[in-house]
Amino acid sequence: MSEEQPIVFLHAVERQYHQGEATLEILRSAELAVWPGETVALVGPSGAGKSTLLHIAGLLEHPDAGEVYIDGVATAKMPDAERTRIRRTEIGFVYQAHHLLPEFNAIENVILPQMIRGLSRQVARDRAVDLLSYLGLQHRLTHRPAELSGGEQQRVAIARAVANAPRILLADEPTGNLDPKTSEHVFQALTQLVSASGLAVIVATHNMEIAGRMNRRVTLREGKVIELP
Ligand code: ADP
């Protein structure tokens, strides 16, 4: 793993949305570098552009201008198929709503992305069991999402997001729907994974207590990424 360069580097990123006559300038010369093993909280009011930044960092959206380097590789002008390949191998996502497949149990939800990636069912299953156990879900392996608490669902979503061993984890309000104690639990699971794996993490969150325990805090001001103390 290279420590000399950021695993994610947004450089001079511009993003606008057009709504009728109006132009919303969401990102303006935005700069953000995140190194392996680093956790960054992205805080700010609703509508500030946090999801937009995560989507651009995660290669789900193109910037209008600027560049997104993933492990030193410029992605902005890459063909979509190549962006998709990098997204699938290097990047995991966790959303506010867990987006688990309701008809599949916890293990199956973590096995599926690995089988899509081409791993055998047995290898994928072993890793799913390891990950879920690591996240404290060893007694919930065969529960479907509806049979799990909100915090448990979110931990399955984290296990699924890292199932293919990405180098970057992007989380959009992952504890947004959870009570403080459960949020704490989910967050602990996340930090454990980071220290075990050297993942780089960007978490959009309103939870200042959680933000306070990450390595860095940033916010968006007039489209720029500003470091907070
Ligand atoms: P946050 O995640 O901080 O709440 P978002 O990145 O979701 O902010 O949105 C930033 C702003 O951009 C909001 O004002 C939102 O309404 C607007 N926006 C987001 N996506 C689109 C879109 N596809 N088209 C037009 N406006 C959008």
Side-chain angles (χ1 to χ4, degrees):
M1 188 166 69
S2 149
E3 298 283 349
E4 300 92 55
Q5 68 185 1
I7 180 78
V8 193
F9 177 28
L10 273 63
H11 176 55
V13 165
E14 310 278 330
R15 186 74 175 112
Q16 307 178 332
Y17 292 120
H18 300 283
Q19 275 189 332
E21 299 285 284
T23 300
L24 297 172
E25 301 219 45
I26 308 300
L27 298 173
R28 295 171 73 187
S29 310
E31 301 281 334
L32 176 65
V34 184
W35 270 260
E38 201 174 33
T39 53
V40 177
L42 175 58
V43 299
S46 179
K50 303 184 296 299
S51 301
T52 302
L53 187 149
L54 290 180
H55 290 164
I56 288 175
L59 312 187
L60 287 166
E61 251 182 72
H62 281 272
D64 295 318
E67 192 50 88
V68 179
Y69 297 91
I70 302 292
D71 207 10
V73 177
T75 61
K77 295 188 183 70
M78 267 181 180
D80 279 344
E82 183 64 3
R83 284 169 58 89
T84 300
R85 191 194 63 76
I86 292 179
R87 187 167 63 242
R88 289 214 180 118
T89 54
E90 308 273 329
I91 305 171
F93 294 91
V94 181
Y95 300 95
Q96 177 168 10
H98 55 74
H99 293 169
L100 297 172
L101 298 169
E103 66 275 31
F104 291 99
N105 69 30
I107 303 188
E108 290 162 345
N109 267 281
V110 183
I111 287 177
L112 279 171
Q114 301 179 75
M115 291 188 66
I116 290 168
R117 174 96 186 272
L119 291 184
S120 75
R121 187 171 183 89
Q122 192 53 50
V123 170
R125 190 179 192 287
D126 289 348
R127 177 157 168 90
V129 171
D130 282 352
L131 270 173
L132 289 165
S133 303
Y134 189 75
L135 295 173
L137 294 169
Q138 59 277 17
H139 304 306
R140 300 286 183 276
L141 298 177
T142 57
H143 289 228
R144 291 183 185 188
E147 301 160 347
L148 295 169
S149 72
E152 289 167 346
Q153 290 169 356
Q154 220 33 335
R155 280 182 280 155
V156 177
I158 291 172
R160 180 188 51 183
V162 299
N164 284 326
R167 307 214 25 223
I168 303 159
L169 186 66
L170 303 173
D172 201 348
E173 299 281 357
T175 60
N177 284 328
L178 305 174
D179 63 75
K181 196 157 159 248
T182 311
S183 299
E184 171 70 29
H185 216 119
V186 169
F187 178 72
Q188 267 173 10
L190 204 64
T191 38
Q192 249 170 29
L193 268 177
V194 172
S195 50
S197 63
L199 265 176
V201 181
I202 309 176
V203 183
T205 183
H206 280 115
N207 186 326
M208 290 312 285
E209 201 177 315
I210 281 176
R213 285 194 278 125
M214 312 215 33
N215 298 134
R216 286 161 59 199
R217 283 145 294 288
V218 299
T219 192
L220 288 165
R221 224 165 268 159
E222 293 175 357
K224 291 195 169 40
V225 180
I226 309 278
E227 298 279 336
L228 297 172

